[in-house]
Amino acid sequence: EVQLLESGGGLIQPGGSLRLSCAASGFTFNNYAMSWVRRAPGKGLEWVSGIVGSGTRTFNADSVKGRFTISRDNSKETLHLQMNSLRSEDTAIYYCARGMGQERFVELDYWGQGTLVTVSS
Amino acid sequence: QSVLTQPPSVSAAPGQKVTISCSGSSSNIGNNYVSWFQQLPGTAPKLLIYENNKRPSGIPDRFSGFKSGTSATLGITGLQTGDEADYYCGTWDGSHMVFGGGTKLTVL
């Protein structure tokens, strides 16, 4: 059974940093691209970052470029999102999601339960 | 403001059919596959449709997808109260994935 379990969310002050993790199980992790998607309170889904299965290429939304870094450790089947220079508008539930193939970011077929990040002083 | 435009809300009675539109451009829908997602209150999103019109295993055939040019449509027939949720289209745009603004479905 495919499982994705996020961790690392919490309350952080503006300008601070946080690292989210997503532990994957039930599938061959390095065969699939992975993404982070968020939903801010009262708003819709926003794709944040994606990384191909091999980890050699990453993609980011304009809203997080230069501040967030996605990475993966295929030996530990874990996805990460390093978030720096956090702003109040980054407050959201962050989901990790699996793509349907090595470089698939639109077909997100499995999702974690999400972890809440609150940026506030 | 999303580059993919969806109606903010749609409604219909149980048993009826509803369609949700998703309008984009040649840089996104026009040249890429479209997916549709359902997000029930308090839960993670779920993939309903991928590659414009394919259903993952376990998704009933009450859900269908269609794409033409720079627009896509999600259709839901035989509406149930359990279908009340937010629905999102998604596609690739240049160097990143984009979602539509979302459509809240109310089953009256």
Side-chain angles (χ1 to χ4, degrees):
Chain A
E1 178 193 5
V2 172
Q3 290 194 333
L4 299 170
L5 185 61
E6 302 95 336
S7 60
L11 175 63
I12 187 75
Q13 292 190 336
S17 297
L18 209 56
R19 189 191 197 207
L20 304 184
S21 296
C22 172
S25 61
F27 62 101
T28 305
F29 187 63
N30 60 8
N31 282 352
Y32 296 88
M34 297 295 295
S35 291
W36 287 99
V37 176
R38 68 185 180 185
R39 185 168 186 183
K43 301 211 170 177
L45 296 177
E46 181 186 15
W47 186 86
V48 174
S49 297
I51 185 167
V52 299
S54 64
T56 55
R57 282 187 295 144
T58 63
F59 303 88
N60 295 285
D62 291 343
S63 58
V64 305
K65 271 180 186 171
R67 300 190 300 125
F68 290 13
T69 302
I70 188 172
S71 63
R72 64 193 296 160
D73 184 336
N74 284 345
S75 67
K76 295 181 180 177
E77 299 186 319
T78 304
L79 176 73
H80 300 289
L81 184 68
Q82 177 67 42
M83 304 187 295
N84 298 331
S85 303
L86 282 161
R87 307 166 180 166
S88 57
E89 54 264 36
D90 295 318
T91 294
I93 297 174
Y94 285 74
Y95 299 96
C96 71
R98 189 188 84 163
M100 275 185 157
Q102 284 269 6
E103 301 188 7
R104 305 282 290 267
F105 298 104
V106 175
E107 303 77 13
L108 301 173
D109 59 352
Y110 286 93
W111 296 66
Q113 85 293 344
T115 187
L116 177 62
V117 172
T118 303
V119 184
S120 175
S121 53
Chain B
Q1 196 85 358
S2 176
V3 296
L4 303 180
T5 302
Q6 295 182 233
S9 64
V10 295
S11 62
Q16 297 298 304
K17 173 183 177 178
V18 70
T19 60
I20 298 173
S21 60
C22 176
S23 178
S25 68
S26 59
S27 72
N28 42 66
I29 291 178
N31 284 285
N32 294 285
Y33 285 128
V34 175
S35 292
W36 287 91
F37 302 88
Q38 175 195 61
Q39 189 170 28
L40 297 167
T43 70
K46 177 198 291 187
L47 178 66
L48 289 179
I49 298 288
Y50 68 99
E51 293 182 1
N52 304 332
N53 55 20
K54 297 178 181 176
R55 283 178 285 106
S57 61
I59 301 299
D61 59 7
R62 300 190 298 110
F63 296 90
S64 62
F66 176 77
K67 173 187 146 177
S68 177
T70 59
S71 294
T73 302
L74 173 70
I76 311 173
T77 60
L79 275 172
Q80 302 173 0
T81 56
D83 294 332
E84 283 206 340
D86 295 324
Y87 292 83
Y88 298 87
C89 57
T91 190
W92 193 251
D93 188 334
S95 61
H96 54 274
M97 196 237 184
V98 290
F99 287 102
T103 299
K104 182 175 183 61
L105 168 63
T106 301
V107 181
L108 302 168

